[in-house]
Amino acid sequence: MSLATGLDVLSNDSGWPTTEELQSKLTRKIREYMSNGAFTVMVAPTSTGKTYNGATTNWTELPHATGDEPVVHLHYSTDARDKAVRKSNAHDIDYHRLLGRGEACNTYSGDYDGVVNTPTGEPASEWMHKQMEESGNTLSKTHQYLEDYNDGDLPCCPCPSIEQWSDIPRDDDGDPAVDVVHAQHNFAYVPSLVQDVNMIWDELPSFKRSIGDRNNDDMTRAKFQDIVTAWLKKIDAPVKTWEMFVTMADDGLESLYEVLDDPPQIDPDWFIENDSAHTLAPALTKAMYRALNDEPGSHGRRSGYAVNELSRFDANDDDDFRYSRNRITVVVDNENRPQAYWDIPEMGNARSIICLDAWPSIHEWRMNIGDGIKFDTFIDDEAFTQWRVNERGLEVVQIGTGAKPASSDYAVTHNVDETAEKITLEMLRYKYGDDFESVISTNAMEPMVEQLVDGEEVMPRGSTKSNGAFSHHKFGYVTHSIDPGDDYVLDLLAARGLDAAPLTLCGPDCGGDECPVCEGNPERVGRAFEGPDADKAKKILDAVRKNSTAQAIGRYAREDDSPRALVFVRTSMIPDGMVDTTISTPTKYTEKQKAVVNYLRENPASSATEIVSVSGTHDSPQGVRQFLSTLMDVGLVNRGPSPQKSNEYLYMLDGDIPEDGYLDLTGI
């Protein structure tokens, strides 16, 4: 039965696909593209078998699809990886699970901090963490260096982090060792998991690293500058300070570029032993030079590209030039400050790449995988909607209109109506009782929502990917949209070689401090863009916002045994075809109306004449009756005849109704 309408769910006589049919169709598509060695993003809605296909197939028995090459299934998180592992187990699939550094190495996790020596005297776990997080060294190289420093022995040895690679992904004969290798996205940096394998990407990876001084930035600008200057000094470049590097790169100093393009051979241990070293330093510095020497777009950004060859120090038998390399793109702003870089593992040497995403963002997939990736779908919009409602059992109600972005403290303060949020939560709680169990909010709104809930679970948007915590909840609420901000969009535009800028009130001819329109403070016009690629900028922004909302909605009714779910969404940033009904925004009581409700709360079975006699309620009994008639229409008030007066009604609240207003759910 539909939770929104109360009507029976339609039978499948109308012809939309069943879940089993969709899963079977996706299976055929995956095998078809894999057999052709394609690089493809498949639009695969949640519950159509994204994880199931990769995890439950005897791939070694399908050489026509795999080309007798390994299948590597890459997941967004350890939870998603382990969920796939459980599926493989349940279907008797021969699999191998690759563990992350903290899972596999007890020295890294801190178990032996008191007995392992380090070059700096720091605890071993801290030293290893710095080597990998701050200097970009791999676990294998860091581990080997520390072994050598401790006379060739560590207490974790033979270490599972090393042993887990035995005969993976191929055995001694070069054949696939297992049906499927399960690992997280970052394992794509391991060349042997890319070279001639069939890669299945579950969810969009992100290889972007932000640079700045915000708390959530991946690298500070000071650290980036230290990395560049340390490399300039090491290779004895013509300039050796950040300031001179920026100036000479901007001028296009050829002698500087020549040494960056063909640096002298460096002992790999330097990348471990120098505090300011980073394994990406050669490529970051070269890409930064190219960015500074580039022409800015209307967005003020410039970008530069380089190939990193030093992330690993091994080679394969084929000596493929793409083996063990990453593709680096650096973006700088109009003040020559580095904004972000992408460190993308080379995947052009994979046999096939199958990417599975419910709501793919074209530009983000191409940025993080490669421009050669193609897009395909196996279900049209109408069939998807019918399947979602009638087969998956997921219905969506949009509350009001407008994007309602709330991704920062400023946006929460200025864009979020806390009273309206309170009304919405109280109304959903009032109507659905204990079956209303969960709320998904933007990260910035989470503290506010935590104060407003009454036992409901709260999930921030940043934790929704591959998260099944709400999969058995019947009623949920997704509030407001994320907004990645102009920087996110402009960085991606620059990295992709696209040109667009935020639309401001005074336009591209702003005269700065002398501008008669804005007087030096150009006002942003909504979230519009201008320039040759303005349409692409808008698509990037909308894709990020809508994909995030779709991810949140998709936390419900996602398992085979999930109940039907009804999700209320308070933003219009929702993909087309995902909204079944739209209702009005919450209505707030006026002060007089609130006084009426408060009086009835304390004095049930009161007449309009009694209510109006109380100061602050209403000016006339008729005004009270009209207001209470509205509350009766939305199911919050009941009335009955007065035993004393034949022409008088007595009113009472229908339970613990919201304090500050109501949300009209009568059509739901």
Side-chain angles (χ1 to χ4, degrees):
M1 177 179 289
S2 166
L3 296 177
T5 65
L7 300 175
D8 288 337
V9 176
L10 298 175
S11 69
N12 193 244
D13 296 340
S14 299
W16 59 82
T18 65
T19 298
E20 291 74 17
E21 288 170 341
L22 276 187
Q23 290 175 345
S24 178
K25 194 170 183 179
L26 179 59
T27 298
R28 291 195 301 272
K29 279 283 191 179
I30 289 174
R31 294 181 187 181
E32 173 190 337
Y33 279 119
M34 187 181 289
S35 66
N36 293 331
F39 290 11
T40 304
V41 177
M42 288 295 304
V43 181
T46 302
S47 298
T48 57
K50 296 201 308 292
T51 304
Y52 180 90
N53 269 283
T56 66
T57 301
N58 293 108
W59 292 109
T60 53
E61 298 178 7
L62 299 173
H64 62 283
T66 66
D68 270 332
E69 299 291 355
V71 172
V72 177
H73 196 172
L74 296 165
H75 307 275
Y76 176 76
S77 64
T78 54
D79 286 345
R81 177 203 64 192
D82 292 345
K83 179 180 177 181
V85 164
R86 289 193 292 272
K87 289 182 184 293
S88 293
N89 260 325
H91 288 79
D92 294 325
I93 300 300
D94 190 13
Y95 71 90
H96 183 76
R97 177 179 63 171
L98 289 171
L99 301 176
R101 59 184 70 152
E103 301 171 295
C105 178
N106 289 339
T107 301
Y108 179 89
S109 62
D111 290 0
Y112 304 116
D113 279 351
V115 296
V116 174
N117 296 317
T118 63
T120 60
E122 297 171 283
S125 59
E126 292 181 18
W127 183 85
M128 293 182 76
H129 183 271
K130 286 182 179 178
Q131 286 298 323
M132 285 175 271
E133 294 299 322
E134 297 181 17
S135 299
N137 288 297
T138 62
L139 175 59
S140 58
K141 179 165 181 57
T142 302
H143 201 282
Q144 185 60 58
Y145 187 95
L146 200 58
E147 276 188 58
D148 294 342
Y149 191 81
N150 284 267
D151 300 323
D153 185 43
L154 289 177
C156 61
C157 293
C159 188
S161 69
I162 309 300
E163 296 294 304
Q164 68 177 341
W165 292 100
S166 177
D167 291 336
I168 294 298
R170 295 175 175 85
D171 61 22
D172 290 339
D173 296 324
D175 297 321
V178 292
D179 285 312
V180 60
V181 176
H182 290 296
Q184 287 179 262
H185 286 172
N186 62 317
F187 277 84
Y189 287 113
V190 180
S192 62
L193 289 187
V194 177
Q195 182 77 22
D196 294 327
V197 309
N198 300 285
M199 306 180 79
I200 299 177
W201 287 89
D202 201 340
E203 304 279 7
L204 170 72
S206 178
F207 298 116
K208 178 185 178 183
R209 307 291 183 265
S210 61
I211 305 170
D213 300 313
R214 298 161 297 195
N215 291 335
N216 60 343
D217 281 321
D218 298 299
M219 181 184 290
T220 65
R221 290 200 174 98
K223 175 64 176 177
F224 187 90
Q225 292 176 15
D226 287 346
I227 290 170
V228 170
T229 53
W231 181 244
L232 293 173
K233 293 173 183 176
K234 184 63 179 176
I235 62 175
D236 195 23
V239 298
K240 296 179 176 62
T241 65
W242 173 259
E243 292 75 17
M244 286 300 295
F245 170 72
V246 170
T247 300
M248 293 299 102
D250 192 34
D251 289 343
L253 182 65
E254 289 187 13
S255 59
L256 173 57
Y257 183 76
E258 287 172 0
V259 71
L260 296 179
D261 190 43
D262 187 21
Q265 189 68 33
I266 301 298
D267 181 354
D269 284 350
W270 179 80
F271 294 95
I272 285 183
E273 295 167 354
N274 187 293
D275 289 341
S276 297
H278 196 288
T279 56
L280 295 181
L284 288 175
T285 307
K286 184 176 178 180
M288 184 69 187
Y289 177 99
R290 286 177 165 174
L292 292 167
N293 198 236
D294 189 27
E295 288 296 323
S298 60
H299 43 55
R301 297 308 203 254
R302 291 175 285 174
S303 67
Y305 171 83
V307 172
N308 174 59
E309 304 282 3
L310 286 174
S311 60
R312 301 181 66 84
F313 304 94
D314 53 1
N316 74 331
D317 293 337
D318 296 330
D319 199 26
D320 189 309
F321 72 94
R322 296 166 298 188
Y323 190 86
S324 189
R325 79 171 193 177
N326 302 345
R327 294 177 282 117
I328 307 297
T329 300
V330 173
V331 172
V332 301
D333 67 10
N334 57 2
E335 296 182 10
N336 295 330
R337 297 177 303 184
Q339 292 287 107
Y341 71 89
W342 277 261
D343 174 20
I344 303 167
E346 177 61 70
M347 288 174 266
N349 51 333
R351 180 184 177 276
S352 68
I353 300 177
I354 310 298
C355 308
L356 303 171
D357 194 352
W359 306 99
S361 169
I362 293 174
H363 291 288
E364 287 193 284
W365 272 107
R366 287 183 173 158
M367 186 68 214
N368 286 284
I369 299 294
D371 279 328
I373 203 83
K374 307 296 183 184
F375 288 77
D376 193 15
T377 184
F378 62 99
I379 180 172
D380 62 48
D381 292 344
E382 178 61 26
F384 166 72
T385 299
Q386 295 288 352
W387 167 80
R388 173 178 56 78
V389 173
N390 296 296
E391 292 284 331
R392 181 177 173 185
L394 176 62
E395 297 171 87
V396 179
V397 176
Q398 179 179 317
I399 303 173
T401 58
K404 296 183 173 62
S407 289
S408 65
D409 292 340
Y410 178 89
V412 171
T413 301
H414 292 83
N415 297 345
V416 176
D417 185 335
E418 185 172 354
T419 301
E421 288 299 300
K422 181 172 180 283
I423 293 168
T424 301
L425 289 168
E426 289 179 351
M427 196 72 192
L428 294 175
R429 195 178 301 129
Y430 167 79
K431 177 155 185 172
Y432 301 114
D434 292 340
D435 283 336
F436 173 55
E437 299 180 82
S438 48
V439 181
I440 299 178
S441 73
T442 65
N443 291 29
M445 278 186 68
E446 187 181 9
M448 174 193 292
V449 173
E450 289 281 9
Q451 295 296 317
L452 296 176
V453 296
D454 185 15
E456 296 86 10
E457 297 179 54
V458 180
M459 182 188 295
R461 290 285 187 97
S463 301
T464 55
K465 272 193 175 183
S466 300
N467 192 328
F470 296 169
S471 59
H472 288 83
H473 293 186
K474 290 183 179 179
F475 299 93
Y477 176 46
V478 176
T479 184
H480 288 64
S481 71
I482 67 166
D483 191 327
D486 285 339
D487 284 343
Y488 179 94
V489 178
L490 300 184
D491 289 345
L492 185 54
L493 286 173
R496 299 280 300 141
L498 303 173
D499 189 4
L503 182 62
T504 55
L505 191 63
C506 46
D509 298 324
C510 175
D513 292 339
E514 306 300 321
C515 178
V517 178
C518 71
E519 297 179 344
N521 295 292
E523 181 182 346
R524 185 78 162 89
V525 180
R527 300 297 283 120
F529 295 87
E530 59 186 346
D533 297 306
D535 59 332
K536 293 183 177 66
K538 187 66 166 64
K539 286 179 180 178
I540 289 171
L541 175 63
D542 284 353
V544 172
R545 297 161 110 182
K546 291 182 178 182
N547 291 359
S548 172
T549 304
Q551 281 277 355
I553 295 170
R555 299 315 91 201
Y556 298 87
R558 58 184 285 110
E559 304 292 350
D560 292 341
D561 60 346
S562 294
R564 293 190 64 84
L566 179 60
V567 182
F568 292 83
V569 183
R570 194 152 186 258
T571 175
S572 59
M573 287 291 105
I574 309 175
D576 296 340
M578 278 204 82
V579 177
D580 303 301
T581 306
T582 300
I583 62 176
S584 299
T585 54
T587 298
K588 297 181 189 178
Y589 299 142
T590 65
E591 288 301 316
K592 291 182 178 181
Q593 291 170 341
K594 191 170 184 178
V596 171
V597 171
N598 288 338
Y599 181 82
L600 278 181
R601 205 181 298 276
E602 299 296 329
N603 302 276
S606 296
S607 68
T609 303
E610 291 172 320
I611 295 171
V612 81
S613 68
V614 177
S615 175
T617 54
H618 250 286
D619 297 330
S620 68
Q622 183 60 25
V624 172
R625 293 188 189 99
Q626 289 177 347
F627 169 57
L628 293 178
S629 177
T630 299
L631 294 189
M632 289 174 60
D633 290 341
V634 296
L636 299 181
V637 167
N638 295 317
R639 75 175 186 181
S642 170
Q644 283 81 30
K645 296 181 180 180
S646 59
N647 61 346
E648 186 90 76
Y649 288 99
L650 301 182
Y651 298 87
M652 68 171 53
L653 304 182
D654 188 16
D656 188 17
I657 73 170
E659 293 183 0
D660 302 301
Y662 62 88
L663 180 67
D664 188 354
L665 299 175
T666 52
I668 306 301

